[in-house]
Amino acid sequence: MRDDTRCVTKLPVDLEGYDSLTIPVHRASTIRYPDANAFATRFERGADGYVYGLYGTPTHRYLEYKITELERGARTVLAPSGQAAITTSMLALLRGGDRVLIPDTVYGPVRDFAMNELAALGIEAVFYDPIDLTALGGQIGGRTRLVWVESPGSVTMEVQDVPAIVAMAKAADALVGCDNTWASPLNFRPLDHGADLSVEALSKHFCGHSDVLMGSVTVRDDALGYRLKAAFGRLGIGVSPDDCALVSRGIETMAVRLERAAQSAGVIVDYLRAHPLVERVLYPPVAGSPGHAIWKRDFAGASGVLTFALREDAAARAFPALDRLKLISIGASWGGTKSLIAPTSVKTMRTANPWTGADYLMRLSVGLESAEDLREDLERFMDALAAEAAPVQQTA
């Protein structure tokens, strides 16, 4: 064998006795087959077989199995983002003429997808009040194939009655999908409550370090899992094994991070509720938040993501005051080690019920910093708001 051939020829490495505590990263676009017949029959290897890099490597399989275990499901399919997990699932399950019911509080990009891509395919998207079960019951008609749930709701944190919604959907022969990103399966398991699909934006609590984009969809039924896996493959949806390894690593500390973030969030919530410039705190563990009783009944705990509304006069001055923050960064997403705040407009993202009150709400993701340091940072923000409101003293 010549040297240039040696450079590209694979050598076997004995793995006997090698059992690493970490997850090996298997990178591959091409899978090598032992003979021509194995290649010709490669698609007979089953849903967990290895046929091409797009359909997964052992690194992908580990993460799929781990998420399936946590969700108590039958199968998990990975996607390049939480948004992709939702949209590709909808594309796989819906056809022209079908109807999908989507909560009015859904993640904004999902609303945009439904109003544009689904509409272009002749799929009717109806936005419903997330906590009005009577109204929802009247909207589940013969063409409804999927009822989507996001609980708590994006920004405004409404907790939905998933078991009741599942009962109504099943009576109409419709599937139920749930965006479970706020809670993670450590605090709520949609499949245990009858949902057919549980979606996670793995970029958030699972990864936990703000450096990966990935999503997952886990199903209760293996046949539905095969259907989704095939559709994801046909659409060319795949993820990086390196990113899978990072998410797998993040899972190992997820329980600890969630507990710490929730504890710190409790300190911050107490501070915000007592502040005269804060009109309302939206956080499921707080009595008075929409769906608090359902959260108490169904959830095992909370995350560190909450929303607060400023008094309307103060909200108008929020943007320059936010620039006074030194520790909390302004940015989207949540679930990372570092705290984030996102001033979010909700008026333009409501159609079932118009939003009244201050347009911009403050969504806060509490990270792993000291709760007291975060409280002091928020005091800088509040002091800036108060200073803007104070009248300028005139000199003689």
Side-chain angles (χ1 to χ4, degrees):
M1 186 184 296
R2 291 161 180 78
D3 285 345
D4 49 357
T5 302
R6 291 182 191 279
C7 287
V8 297
T9 302
K10 182 180 177 182
L11 291 175
V13 176
D14 185 7
L15 298 180
E16 178 70 29
Y18 179 78
D19 187 12
S20 173
L21 279 173
T22 61
I23 308 307
V25 180
H26 295 270
R27 301 183 185 93
S29 60
T30 298
I31 307 298
R32 187 169 63 171
Y33 294 84
D35 52 53
N37 184 65
F39 180 76
T41 59
R42 62 193 183 279
F43 291 112
E44 298 175 14
R45 291 185 168 190
D48 292 324
Y50 301 109
V51 296
Y52 190 67
L54 176 66
Y55 306 102
T57 70
T59 311
H60 294 79
R61 292 291 178 270
Y62 177 86
L63 180 57
E64 291 166 356
Y65 296 163
K66 178 57 67 174
I67 295 171
T68 301
E69 177 186 47
L70 290 171
E71 298 273 8
R72 294 180 184 167
R75 179 168 297 278
T76 294
V77 183
L78 302 174
S81 65
Q83 171 76 353
I86 295 170
T87 59
T88 310
S89 295
M90 289 186 178
L91 290 174
L93 299 175
L94 299 170
R95 298 292 181 266
D98 289 347
R99 174 190 290 165
V100 56
L101 302 182
I102 300 173
D104 209 28
T105 51
V106 74
Y107 176 53
V110 175
R111 175 184 289 271
D112 190 38
F113 167 80
M115 295 176 66
N116 288 278
E117 273 61 45
L118 290 186
L121 294 171
I123 299 167
E124 181 188 13
V126 176
F127 296 95
Y128 68 91
D129 185 323
I131 55 178
D132 188 342
L133 294 178
T134 301
L136 176 60
Q139 291 172 304
I140 301 179
R143 293 188 297 112
T144 301
R145 295 291 174 265
L146 176 65
V147 179
W148 197 254
V149 172
E150 183 175 328
S151 183
S154 187
V155 185
T156 44
M157 301 286 162
E158 293 87 349
V159 180
Q160 297 188 255
D161 192 336
V162 174
I165 293 171
V166 165
M168 289 190 292
K170 296 308 177 189
D173 199 28
L175 297 171
V176 175
C178 178
D179 183 339
N180 191 48
T181 304
W182 182 90
S184 88
L186 300 186
N187 287 325
F188 183 68
R189 291 189 173 96
L191 304 184
D192 281 356
H193 293 271
D196 300 284
L197 304 90
S198 178
V199 166
E200 309 282 352
L202 303 177
S203 318
K204 299 180 170 66
H205 297 314
F206 277 76
C207 172
H209 292 79
S210 306
D211 56 2
V212 169
L213 282 171
M214 196 183 296
S216 66
V217 52
T218 305
V219 298
R220 297 172 64 232
D221 176 68
D222 224 3
L224 181 59
Y226 293 147
R227 181 178 171 187
L228 290 178
K229 185 176 177 67
F232 277 50
R234 285 190 292 266
L235 292 167
I237 301 296
V239 299
S240 160
D242 296 85
D243 288 346
C244 288
L246 288 174
V247 175
S248 296
R249 183 177 67 178
I251 289 174
E252 296 183 4
T253 61
M254 182 165 61
V256 178
R257 288 185 285 103
L258 275 170
E259 183 178 6
R260 169 61 182 265
Q263 288 175 349
S264 296
V267 174
I268 299 304
V269 164
D270 288 343
Y271 164 74
L272 291 171
R273 293 183 75 195
H275 202 285
L277 292 180
V278 175
E279 183 177 90
R280 190 180 183 193
V281 175
L282 300 170
Y283 186 52
V286 172
S289 284
H292 166 72
I294 297 172
W295 173 83
K296 194 172 182 179
R297 182 193 72 191
D298 293 345
F299 284 63
S303 72
V305 183
L306 59 104
T307 296
F308 62 96
L310 295 167
R311 275 190 356 221
E312 196 159 0
D313 58 323
R317 305 187 300 274
F319 278 23
L322 284 169
D323 295 341
R324 297 288 295 275
L325 292 169
K326 295 181 179 179
L327 186 60
I328 303 170
S329 299
I330 301 171
S333 198
W334 70 66
T337 60
K338 300 171 180 61
S339 295
L340 294 170
I341 194 166
T344 306
S345 171
V346 295
K347 281 186 177 179
T348 58
M349 296 192 296
R350 296 291 185 271
T351 51
N353 290 315
W355 178 258
T356 58
D359 185 16
Y360 277 89
L361 301 179
M362 302 295 154
R363 189 184 69 194
L364 178 64
S365 171
V366 177
L368 302 188
E369 304 94 341
S370 160
E372 287 304 307
D373 286 338
L374 293 174
R375 182 185 59 77
E376 291 171 4
D377 206 31
L378 286 170
E379 282 182 354
R380 279 187 280 272
F381 168 64
M382 296 298 183
D383 289 347
L385 282 176
E388 287 287 330
V392 178
Q393 296 294 324
Q394 299 293 325
T395 57

